[in-house]
Amino acid sequence: MELGEPNLDLVTTPAAAPTSPLRALSRRYAGYRARLVAAVVLSTVNKVADVVPELLIGAAVDVVVRGDQSFVADVVGAESRYEQLVWLAVVNAVVWLVESASEYLAALTWRNLAQSIEHDLRVEAYSHVQHLDVSWHETRPAGTTLATLNDDVNQLERFLDVGAPAILQTVLNVLLVGAVFALSSVTLLLLAFAPIPLIVAGSLLFQKRLDPLYARVRETVADLSGTLSANLGGITTIKAFTAEHRERQRVEEASLAYRSANEAAIRSSAAFVPLVRVAILAGFTCTLLIGGFQVLDGTLEVGLYSVLVFMTQRLLWPLTAVAEVLDLYQRGRASAGRILRLLDEPVTVQPGEVLLHEPAGRIELRGVRAGYADGPDVLHGIDLVVPAGQTHAVVGPTGSGKSTLLRLVLRFEDTRAGQVLLDDTDTRDLDWATLRGALGYVSQDVYLFAGSVADNIAYGRPDATREEVEQAARAAEAAAFVEAMPQGYDTPVGERGVTLSGGQRQRLALARALLRDPAVLVLDEATSAVDNETEAAIQRSLGLVTAERTALVVAHRLSTVRHADRIWVLDAGRISESGTHDELVAAGGAYAQLWAVQTGDLEVVRAQ
């Protein structure tokens, strides 16, 4: 299984979604059922061994009081009290060894189970997020997604590690102790167990109250995570505008909201413990008094009485932890719900199945209409052809639809109408390996990963040799500044490439695209934020690398595309004119006006 792909062997999807998020997850990861059963068996053995010492205490009291008439004497056939106590000591040692071993194995099994599910769930969720549409990512705060992938998964793991075993132990404790009471005294059974329905009813009431409270906790932690993530990403802007104090206040407000949500949940969960203590007092007092009266009346053996007194404590006292377990359950349930909602987000841009071998690189748009979400069309009936091996440019004013057109070619979005074709095949029919493997993309906002220069250039081809990496750098005219760095190609670039200039990042991005040897090179405003010298270097690079491949260039600086085989001018989502640079300047249309503005030809501008 490759990293980032869900483990399909462990995943089963129920036919009908259950109401409980935790139940949905249990069905989703049914492949872990054998390990879950092993954990339950070990916990059961541990709980049985945990209860036996109280029985041995009662047996010891019985030996001391009744001598050769004791229960132990009947079982082992020993009349001497000393011999009977030795037998009890041996049994006790064995029980403690079993208890210790089973506790270790149960804890190991539960924790490994929790860690495995946490790992698989995080990887599955992340894999799904990677496949979600670009528009989904653009409309959702990154901090919210990060909180789900990290904090929510951690909360669920904590419940599986601590909460689930605690629930099982509580249930086993009630059953085992109940069996002892049932065999000893039905009257004491009813009295000792009388508080339990009240505790269960109280738990259900608290659960209803805690559910929205912990949903609010999850919302506020997502807001806080989003604020922190956004602020750390924009730290230079914060400093440039001396907004540190203002942003600190924003973080403080988000943190206070998180604290307040937690305090509201804690107030409710903390109130549960005192109520349980009152119930424990009632049950323990009944066993102490009524059981004592039965011993005095001769209807209950003193050894059994001591067992029941201890058992009452064991029965009811663990219920004080119900509040903590309920807290873990609610947090886990809220987190599971958020994770499942993330996994249920639909992937609308799905790959096709057609595989093209060595595509030529011809790009065509036929009657394309496109827009975002439920908004109006951004592109209106676009017809455009880029023959294989040619360089075509798309220009136009801001908001004309240039970047939208490129998103369609890259298939970050699908058209509302019309087709985008690669070598006469609809891109919706192509698998990702063919479509995106045929494209080399350089965006306006270059993203470099924390790592070395070589790592970033080889990102699209991790198996590339160092010689191929260096060759791509030379083709992008990046070799000179890379080799001048302290560690050359092994120099770390920092997160997002913060140690490099804008022009250096652009040239590394170009080298990264060229290393894939794509049939089509797609450039989105690749020179918009660089100086004239860097623009000239990039233009020289493009002149060489586009000689034998298709290139589709979106540019704001017209000087970058003046030598293109054809220039398409977009205006308000429609193609207003097209032709070579000289033809468009001579035509005196929108392109000529843009050219005049950028070259400073004021007379032409005034004439327009």
Side-chain angles (χ1 to χ4, degrees):
M1 184 181 71
E2 296 182 359
L3 182 63
E5 295 298 326
N7 190 342
L8 298 180
D9 293 335
L10 301 176
V11 178
T12 58
T13 304
T19 56
S20 169
L22 292 173
R23 185 178 300 171
L25 282 178
S26 70
R27 293 187 179 183
R28 192 178 193 95
Y29 289 93
Y32 284 113
R33 193 164 292 154
R35 292 169 65 178
L36 177 62
V37 170
V40 170
V41 169
L42 288 168
S43 291
T44 303
V45 171
N46 176 251
K47 179 51 64 176
V48 171
D50 187 45
V51 169
V52 169
E54 273 85 0
L55 297 176
L56 295 179
I57 291 173
V61 173
D62 190 48
V63 168
V64 172
V65 173
R66 299 176 60 199
D68 58 1
Q69 302 298 315
S70 70
F71 173 77
V72 176
D74 293 338
V75 172
V76 300
E79 296 183 2
S80 169
R81 286 186 174 94
Y82 295 99
E83 188 177 351
Q84 292 177 43
L85 290 175
V86 169
W87 273 104
L88 288 177
V90 171
V91 172
N92 184 65
V94 172
V95 169
W96 276 88
L97 290 174
V98 171
E99 182 187 5
S100 299
S102 60
E103 182 177 7
Y104 168 74
L105 294 173
L108 196 65
T109 306
W110 278 111
R111 290 176 183 178
N112 286 339
L113 177 64
Q115 291 294 326
S116 297
I117 292 177
E118 176 192 30
H119 166 75
D120 287 340
L121 186 58
R122 180 179 285 117
V123 172
E124 182 187 358
Y126 174 73
S127 178
H128 182 70
V129 165
Q130 283 193 131
H131 290 88
L132 287 172
D133 307 338
V134 172
S135 58
W136 181 90
H137 287 277
E138 291 173 342
T139 57
R140 177 184 171 97
T144 301
T145 305
L146 182 62
T148 301
L149 293 175
N150 189 40
D151 195 55
D152 280 323
V153 174
N154 288 340
Q155 288 285 354
L156 184 60
E157 181 270 337
R158 187 163 175 250
F159 168 72
L160 295 174
D161 186 3
V162 179
I167 292 173
L168 176 62
Q169 291 281 337
T170 302
V171 172
L172 290 172
N173 188 70
V174 170
L175 293 177
L176 292 172
V177 174
V180 173
F181 267 90
L183 294 172
S184 304
S185 171
V186 176
T187 301
L188 293 181
L189 170 68
L190 296 175
L191 292 174
F193 274 66
I196 293 180
L198 297 176
I199 296 173
V200 172
S203 299
L204 295 175
L205 290 174
F206 270 88
Q207 178 179 331
K208 287 185 178 181
R209 176 173 176 79
L210 288 173
D211 200 8
L213 295 178
Y214 279 113
R216 177 59 182 161
V217 169
R218 302 306 318 131
E219 292 172 4
T220 54
V221 75
D223 292 341
L224 177 59
S225 179
T227 301
L228 290 170
S229 177
N231 284 15
L232 291 175
I235 193 67
T236 55
T237 303
I238 292 173
K239 288 180 174 295
F241 287 90
T242 59
E244 291 92 342
H245 180 68
R246 186 166 68 250
E247 293 303 329
R248 181 188 181 280
Q249 287 182 321
R250 287 183 58 199
V251 170
E252 183 177 6
E253 290 172 1
S255 183
L256 283 173
Y258 178 50
R259 187 183 74 177
S260 298
N262 264 303
E263 286 175 346
I266 290 169
R267 278 195 300 271
S268 293
S269 62
F272 188 70
V273 175
L275 296 178
V276 175
R277 286 179 178 273
V278 172
I280 292 172
L281 174 62
F284 187 76
T285 301
C286 289
T287 302
L288 187 67
L289 289 176
I290 304 302
F293 294 160
Q294 290 181 347
V295 171
L296 296 175
D297 293 339
T299 58
L300 184 68
E301 294 293 340
V302 64
L304 198 53
Y305 171 61
S306 62
V307 170
L308 295 181
V309 170
F310 279 114
M311 285 292 186
T312 304
Q313 179 89 349
R314 176 169 293 278
L315 170 68
L316 298 177
W317 187 255
L319 296 179
T320 58
V322 169
E324 181 181 354
V325 173
L326 193 62
D327 181 274
L328 291 174
Y329 171 77
Q330 289 297 342
R331 289 178 184 269
R333 188 170 182 270
S335 294
R338 287 166 59 88
I339 295 168
L340 287 174
R341 285 194 294 274
L342 178 62
L343 289 170
D344 287 339
E345 287 288 345
V347 179
T348 58
V349 180
Q350 298 279 2
E353 298 180 355
V354 177
L355 178 64
L356 297 180
H357 297 284
E358 298 183 3
R362 182 180 184 275
I363 298 292
E364 181 178 358
L365 279 71
R366 293 181 185 171
V368 167
R369 287 177 45 242
Y372 299 102
D374 297 326
D377 285 351
V378 176
L379 297 178
H380 310 270
I382 298 295
D383 292 299
L384 181 153
V385 177
V386 184
Q390 290 192 10
T391 297
H392 283 214
V394 179
V395 302
T398 300
S400 59
K402 304 185 297 296
S403 293
T404 302
L405 188 148
L406 285 194
R407 289 164 68 96
L408 296 175
V409 172
L410 292 161
R411 213 175 161 229
F412 291 160
E413 310 284 345
D414 276 334
T415 63
R416 289 178 174 174
Q419 293 177 292
V420 179
L421 302 105
L422 173 64
D423 290 358
D424 298 320
T425 302
D426 195 316
T427 55
R428 287 172 290 197
D429 297 329
L430 296 175
D431 72 345
W432 292 135
T434 292
L435 177 60
R436 291 177 180 164
L439 304 174
Y441 177 52
V442 180
S443 65
Q444 178 181 4
D445 182 19
V446 173
Y447 191 97
L448 297 180
F449 295 89
S452 68
V453 171
D455 292 337
N456 276 279
I457 294 177
Y459 186 77
R461 271 188 60 199
D463 59 341
T465 65
R466 177 55 66 93
E467 182 180 352
E468 290 172 326
V469 169
E470 294 176 0
Q471 183 179 352
R474 287 192 293 271
E477 294 211 11
F481 78 81
V482 172
E483 292 168 359
M485 290 180 168
Q487 300 176 51
Y489 287 89
D490 296 318
T491 303
V493 300
E495 190 172 357
R496 298 185 65 92
V498 294
T499 63
L500 304 176
S501 69
Q504 289 173 332
R505 289 197 296 270
Q506 286 286 0
R507 280 183 271 185
L508 289 185
L510 180 58
R512 179 168 61 190
L514 295 177
L515 184 60
R516 302 188 73 182
D517 191 23
V520 181
L521 190 61
V522 180
L523 304 175
D524 185 8
E525 302 278 15
T527 62
S528 63
V530 299
D531 54 45
N532 292 332
E533 181 181 354
T534 302
E535 180 187 9
I538 293 177
Q539 285 181 350
R540 288 194 302 270
S541 302
L542 293 178
L544 295 173
V545 301
T546 60
E548 297 181 356
R549 62 167 49 89
T550 307
L552 182 60
V553 183
V554 161
H556 176 71
R557 290 186 179 181
L558 302 185
S559 57
T560 306
V561 299
R562 62 178 300 180
H563 299 298
D565 296 298
R566 191 172 193 85
I567 300 171
W568 303 83
V569 182
L570 277 181
D571 186 13
R574 292 180 171 83
I575 295 177
S576 60
E577 55 185 346
S578 67
T580 65
H581 169 79
D582 292 337
E583 290 171 347
L584 292 173
V585 170
Y591 181 87
Q593 185 174 5
L594 288 172
W595 177 256
V597 170
Q598 291 191 16
T599 56
D601 192 342
L602 300 180
E603 294 299 325
V604 174
V605 175
R606 293 192 187 99
Q608 295 293 333

